[in-house]
Amino acid sequence: MIINNSLNDKTQLNILEHLKDTERLLEIASGSQVEITVMPDACPAHNVSRMLDGHFTGTVTKIIDPKEASIPVGTTVNVCGTVIYKLQHEISISEFKSRLYSTLESPNKHYRWDNFNRGNHFVSLSYSNGTNMLEKGQYMIVHASANEYRNQLYHNKGVWYEDKVKKVTLPDNPKRSLHYITGETAEKFYSIAKNLLTFNQKRNSEFCKAVLKDLAENEIINIQHYGMPDANTICIGVQWETDKIVPLLSGPGKNIYLAKPAKGTKYFPHGLGLEIHDGDIHYTDDGGICFVTKTLY
């Protein structure tokens, strides 16, 4: 079953056609019903190998009550999330940059550039004027992954589960295939993916504190939007902790939004795309935009 929450633009309609085949393939592989949720910001993935196996950014793939553990490894599971920290008082952009570079280029090398500057990842200093739910002041916002662990889960040559990968093709289209693992291999895979969620959440928090030091006042948000929330579900650029205030990321230099998902919302997008303009989104009491930050750097 495909749950279509997309905007049905031309690209998304094309993606939906491919996802129909992905659903069929995964049902054959798992022997179970499959649910694929397509979000409003669904789009082509940065990772080409992911699309070759029929998976896209802004989607949730869930196997319903599988007979045994089964994971489509073409989803290129890793982990990614957003953390927001409030500063005790305002600082200049130059001081923020100095603190940032000092932390990333420290001889101790606790943190890696490629967790924060690959693809759409970033480290930003932002400002809130105190509207709605945030206090007036500056905020450090980080969007980052655990890039150093990608080779433990990505379906690449030499990965630890390489000899356990199975392949299924469509009976009416042998060129369309999907790669997956099952049983104990899938259980071990999920164990790693589950631990990465906690690891990335803690590491992103510690990174903010390392940069801000005495300026770190409190953590506002620390939410993941890429990974496996449970053993049968894979979220690719989709937030699943919808009982919390969640971030909505936009384009470089543009405002960053926080949103309050409506009660009962199961999944929520993590981004708005590159064409959002001030005034396009408005606050609603029953679920909607809560406030806006202005990106300074």
Side-chain angles (χ1 to χ4, degrees):
M1 174 173 59
I2 293 181
I3 300 174
N4 181 17
N5 294 325
S6 77
L7 301 178
N8 293 312
D9 65 26
K10 188 174 181 180
T11 299
Q12 291 174 336
L13 289 175
N14 199 327
I15 286 173
L16 284 164
E17 290 302 311
H18 288 285
L19 288 174
K20 291 177 183 177
D21 286 342
T22 304
E23 177 194 12
R24 291 172 60 199
L25 285 164
L26 196 49
E27 286 184 343
I28 294 171
S30 65
S32 304
Q33 182 183 357
V34 172
E35 178 184 280
I36 299 178
T37 303
V38 187
M39 304 302 290
D41 62 336
C43 61
H46 285 290
N47 193 316
V48 175
S49 63
R50 182 186 298 159
M51 290 189 291
L52 289 175
D53 237 40
H55 309 284
F56 298 85
T57 300
T59 61
V60 180
T61 299
K62 185 177 185 66
I63 301 174
I64 310 296
D65 298 325
K67 297 178 177 62
E68 66 171 342
S70 183
I71 296 174
V73 292
T75 48
T76 59
V77 171
N78 193 347
V79 62
C80 185
T82 306
V83 60
I84 301 179
Y85 253 90
K86 186 179 186 302
L87 278 65
Q88 289 192 17
H89 59 77
E90 294 182 22
I91 59 175
S92 66
I93 292 174
S94 61
E95 181 180 347
F96 179 74
K97 291 173 67 175
S98 176
R99 287 171 176 261
L100 174 63
Y101 280 73
S102 176
T103 302
L104 285 169
E105 296 175 357
S106 166
N108 296 326
K109 296 186 181 299
H110 290 307
Y111 304 102
R112 297 162 45 123
W113 272 107
D114 60 358
N115 284 318
F116 306 99
N117 68 357
R118 291 176 62 95
N120 60 349
H121 296 165
F122 63 85
V123 178
S124 177
L125 178 66
S126 295
Y127 175 80
S128 170
N129 62 9
T131 57
N132 295 313
M133 300 183 68
L134 274 193
E135 294 179 22
K136 181 178 180 180
Q138 288 183 335
Y139 293 80
M140 179 177 177
I141 304 179
V142 173
H143 176 204
S145 68
N147 191 56
E148 63 268 49
Y149 289 97
R150 61 189 297 178
N151 290 333
Q152 293 204 26
L153 294 179
Y154 274 27
H155 178 211
N156 292 332
K157 186 174 178 59
V159 71
W160 60 271
Y161 59 83
E162 182 178 18
D163 62 338
K164 303 296 184 181
V165 176
K166 303 175 182 180
K167 179 180 178 180
V168 62
T169 59
L170 285 178
D172 55 344
N173 183 8
K175 292 183 178 181
R176 184 68 167 85
S177 62
L178 179 142
H179 297 80
Y180 66 104
I181 53 177
T182 59
E184 292 183 1
T185 307
E187 292 171 2
K188 180 179 177 181
F189 184 103
Y190 171 61
S191 178
I192 297 172
K194 181 181 179 180
N195 287 335
L196 280 184
L197 292 175
T198 303
F199 169 81
N200 200 48
Q201 185 177 45
K202 183 176 180 180
R203 197 263 298 282
N204 286 346
S205 180
E206 292 300 319
F207 173 68
C208 288
K209 289 188 284 186
V211 172
L212 297 176
K213 297 182 175 65
D214 57 313
L215 290 178
E217 183 171 319
N218 51 34
E219 186 176 87
I220 306 301
I221 282 176
N222 196 337
I223 290 179
Q224 307 304 298
H225 53 248
Y226 174 29
M228 297 184 69
D230 61 57
N232 304 319
T233 306
I234 300 172
C235 289
I236 306 176
V238 179
Q239 299 176 115
W240 58 88
E241 296 180 79
T242 54
D243 58 334
K244 303 176 180 179
I245 300 298
V246 298
L248 280 170
L249 310 178
S250 52
K254 295 186 178 181
N255 291 333
I256 294 171
Y257 298 78
L258 294 190
K260 178 183 178 184
K263 187 176 180 179
T265 299
K266 193 172 183 179
Y267 302 115
F268 207 82
H270 85 296
L272 294 165
L274 300 177
E275 297 302 323
I276 291 296
H277 303 281
D278 292 342
D280 285 353
I281 299 178
H282 305 280
Y283 171 77
T284 58
D285 290 329
D286 61 346
I289 298 306
C290 292
F291 99 117
V292 179
T293 63
K294 180 180 180 182
T295 302
L296 304 175
Y297 167 77

